[in-house]
Amino acid sequence: MKIAKKLAIWAENGLISKEQKNTILDFEAARAAGNKWLFFGLLTAACLAVGIGVISIIAYNWADIAPWLKLSVGALILGGLAAAYVKTASSEKDILAHVFLTLFFLGVLGYIGLTAQIFHLNSHPHRGVLFWLAISTPLAFTSKRGFVPLVWAWGMLITIPCELLVYEPVQSFFEWLTKDISYKAGLLGGLAFSAMCAQIIPPLFNKFKNIKWGAQTFFAASLFALTAVFIIFSFFGDGWRFYGRLEPNFYYLLLVAVFLIVGVWRAKSERKILAALALTVFAGTAFYLQAENLGAFFNGAYFLLFAALMAAYFEVRGSKKWCNVFVFIICAKLVAMYAQLSSGLLGFGVSMITSGVVAIALIILWHKYIGAARGWLAQRLSGGAK
Amino acid sequence: MKKYIISVCITLGFLFGWTLFTLVSSNIGTTVEFGVIGYDPRNLLSGHYLTYTVMYEDDAKELKGINRFYIPEKYAADLDRALRSGEYDTKIKVLITPSGRAYVKEMFFDGVGAVEFAKNYPL
């Protein structure tokens, strides 16, 4: 029996008050929403694995298959995914609609790559992505879930400046700022520009909350990254690393202190995670300064630890969307680390698709049957205790 | 339902429209051949391709977007070696549309198409 029904019966029979019933319902709704963010983060990462796998198989370039056949099969698959998305989205089947939309969205990118491959097209690297995002605009604006709007907003905010930099006057201005004046001036200019855009751009999408959220996260991340890069560059000076020379330095301590300073105004539970983050940055930076080459495993593990702490921090703060961003980043990094195990585009594509499909199936089954499985297990355990 | 149908139709309309335009325009025009020298990098989206410097004739106008020829992964290493070695007469066949757009149609090694060359002349 659903909890809402149970609570209604209990309230009717005077076991609990109406206020208590509503408080429990609100608590359960918030908890379920939190779980769904994790669920959709994992599901999206699995879809991403399938999409990357399909793109790799296209990139393998099957010379023995006629171009018209490749284009037709691609068009049929895209048509099928589009139809499946429309059908599931219209019948409010959120989970399947999200899977089909993500696959369709990535499929469109794959088809652009296929066309470029067949006709040997060549242009600036960002233009293919910009074209993909531009024609996917309606998908981003009608999506119920955050992934497509997030990629759309981040992609647009990266590729539009790239497109502007192709043009001579913008390029000259950028070179003047970063080379003639200094790269620090360029970073500070970037910070000021990002801060200004953060005030102007997200409110333009007030009616589309997912797009607005995408723009907000982009500017928050760019402000954080530019500040970190500015501090790191100031610390390192003109060189990238000073191997074997770890000296206490104002900027180094500032990099660590940021998390501790933020912690002063936070609750105790948040302070613990911020202290762990400060320690991670402190130790990680020390390792990076001391060692010449730490290897891919150390880099991956360090990145995962940092992202996991960030996810935990936002979970504790109750920022489900930011927590989900970091869960997704962790999943994407794991997918990337896993991808490094296979060599060659064909093997890579097949393994990504296989594991992506298996992961999607397992995640959906887990979501659907976890409650029943827990109940069954509890029953068995209590039966065994008797 | 309507908004979902419209959104996928707009996306597919632009995508297939662009592909169709490329398909049609890459078949209308005149073809010319240029000698090339180059090497093989990889694009994450479209796979391996050979990139090169086009040796234009003295009076020829420089064409945009013809510095890339996509090749299957299984032949990439051999074709890359052949192109780098400089031992073969490498040329590209380019189609120029009436509007001035250029498409690479084929790449030749000693007069043989790139894939055929890699299949029949194991290096």
Side-chain angles (χ1 to χ4, degrees):
Chain A
M1 197 187 288
K2 295 250 174 177
I3 192 159
K5 281 185 183 174
K6 273 186 184 176
L7 289 170
I9 295 167
W10 293 346
E12 266 176 33
N13 290 287
L15 293 172
I16 53 170
S17 67
K18 272 191 178 178
E19 287 74 29
Q20 281 173 321
K21 185 193 89 173
N22 292 335
T23 312
I24 296 169
L25 281 176
D26 289 345
F27 172 77
E28 282 300 316
R31 201 173 60 90
N35 288 344
K36 280 209 164 180
W37 274 108
L38 178 69
F39 167 73
F40 276 102
L42 294 169
L43 195 61
T44 306
C47 291
L48 196 66
V50 177
I52 292 169
V54 170
I55 290 170
S56 296
I57 287 184
I58 291 170
Y60 178 73
N61 197 341
W62 303 79
D64 300 326
I65 302 174
W68 67 266
L69 189 60
K70 289 186 208 171
L71 289 171
S72 308
V73 171
L76 276 175
I77 293 171
L78 275 184
L81 287 172
Y85 166 59
V86 169
K87 197 167 168 31
T88 48
S90 310
S91 11
E92 309 262 319
K93 289 177 181 164
D94 269 10
I95 296 168
L96 286 176
H98 175 69
V99 170
F100 287 125
L101 175 64
T102 308
L103 293 177
F104 177 64
F105 182 59
L106 295 169
V108 170
L109 178 66
Y111 200 82
I112 292 169
L114 178 67
T115 307
Q117 183 192 82
I118 288 172
F119 298 104
H120 306 286
L121 303 180
N122 178 14
S123 75
H124 292 282
H126 67 272
R127 279 198 178 147
V129 178
L130 184 57
F131 176 64
W132 168 52
L133 296 169
I135 65 172
S136 304
T137 302
L139 302 176
F141 279 78
T142 51
S143 169
K144 281 185 185 171
R145 290 280 153 196
F147 175 69
V148 173
L150 182 78
V151 174
W152 185 87
W154 277 59
M156 278 291 191
L157 290 166
I158 291 168
T159 51
I160 290 174
C162 289
E163 180 60 24
L164 292 175
L165 276 170
V166 170
Y167 300 98
E168 185 59 34
V170 183
Q171 216 173 59
S172 306
F173 172 75
F174 190 72
E175 278 179 9
W176 168 76
L177 189 66
T178 53
K179 285 183 184 165
D180 294 354
I181 300 195
S182 81
Y183 64 88
K184 279 188 191 172
L187 282 170
L188 282 176
L191 259 170
F193 186 68
S194 282
M196 189 184 77
C197 289
Q199 298 302 315
I200 300 169
I201 295 177
L204 296 177
F205 300 102
N206 275 338
K207 281 187 181 173
F208 304 94
K209 65 178 172 95
N210 282 330
I211 302 275
K212 187 183 176 185
W213 171 63
Q216 277 171 337
T217 52
F218 176 82
F219 288 116
S222 66
L223 284 170
F224 177 79
L226 283 168
T227 309
V229 169
F230 184 79
I231 294 171
I232 289 167
F233 267 53
S234 304
F235 171 46
F236 286 127
D238 290 327
W240 178 232
R241 282 181 181 183
F242 294 123
Y243 295 121
R245 275 183 53 199
L246 179 63
E247 292 164 9
N249 175 297
F250 170 72
Y251 292 109
Y252 177 35
L253 295 175
L254 185 62
L255 193 68
V256 176
V258 164
F259 298 101
L260 298 174
I261 294 165
V262 173
V264 173
W265 289 279
R266 302 292 178 203
K268 200 179 172 184
S269 54
E270 290 178 41
R271 260 186 240 159
K272 283 181 189 168
I273 300 176
L274 285 165
L277 274 165
L279 195 67
T280 308
V281 171
F282 179 78
T285 314
F287 269 117
Y288 275 108
L289 287 169
Q290 288 289 307
E292 223 161 280
N293 190 5
L294 291 161
F297 178 76
F298 180 88
N299 291 338
Y302 181 67
F303 181 86
L304 287 174
L305 175 67
F306 183 79
L309 283 171
M310 291 298 283
Y313 174 68
F314 286 112
E315 174 63 32
V316 169
R317 279 201 71 179
S319 310
K320 300 289 179 198
K321 288 190 173 183
W322 271 105
C323 172
N324 198 47
V325 166
F326 280 98
V327 168
F328 176 70
I329 288 172
I330 291 167
C331 293
K333 180 67 187 171
L334 286 171
V335 168
M337 285 168 81
Y338 167 66
Q340 285 167 351
L341 297 175
S342 53
S343 62
L345 289 166
L346 185 59
F348 171 70
V350 171
S351 67
M352 291 298 271
I353 292 174
T354 314
S355 24
V357 169
V358 170
I360 291 172
L362 287 176
I363 292 164
I364 291 178
L365 285 173
W366 167 69
H367 180 72
K368 206 169 176 182
Y369 296 110
I370 187 69
R374 270 189 198 144
W376 178 81
L377 196 65
Q379 212 172 20
R380 290 272 146 173
L381 288 173
S382 60
K386 278 175 192 174
Chain B
M1 185 165 193
K2 219 175 185 179
K3 71 174 181 183
Y4 300 118
I5 294 177
I6 293 170
S7 66
V8 295
C9 284
I10 292 173
T11 304
L12 288 178
F14 276 108
L15 180 67
F16 294 152
W18 169 70
T19 306
L20 204 64
F21 167 78
T22 312
L23 178 69
V24 172
S25 68
S26 67
N27 281 296
I28 302 167
T30 49
T31 53
V32 282
E33 284 186 12
F34 297 107
V36 295
I37 46 171
Y39 64 99
D40 160 46
R42 195 169 95 169
N43 176 308
L44 288 175
L45 186 58
S46 300
H48 289 266
Y49 58 89
L50 295 167
T51 189
Y52 36 73
T53 305
V54 179
M55 318 296 279
Y56 291 101
E57 303 286 329
D58 290 339
D59 56 338
K61 193 183 151 197
E62 200 171 311
L63 296 166
K64 278 185 181 172
I66 59 162
N67 298 66
R68 193 173 285 195
F69 186 79
Y70 286 96
I71 49 171
E73 186 180 54
K74 60 179 171 179
Y75 305 128
D78 288 346
L79 289 172
D80 175 39
R81 217 173 299 137
L83 188 62
R84 277 174 199 266
S85 72
E87 290 171 18
Y88 303 92
D89 178 27
T90 44
K91 281 185 176 169
I92 49 165
K93 185 162 91 177
V94 177
L95 181 137
I96 304 167
T97 66
S99 63
R101 190 181 281 266
Y103 294 97
V104 181
K105 301 296 283 184
E106 183 56 282
M107 186 167 191
F108 299 105
F109 288 79
D110 282 350
V112 182
V115 172
E116 282 307 304
F117 175 82
K119 277 182 188 170
N120 300 320
Y121 297 85
L123 298 160

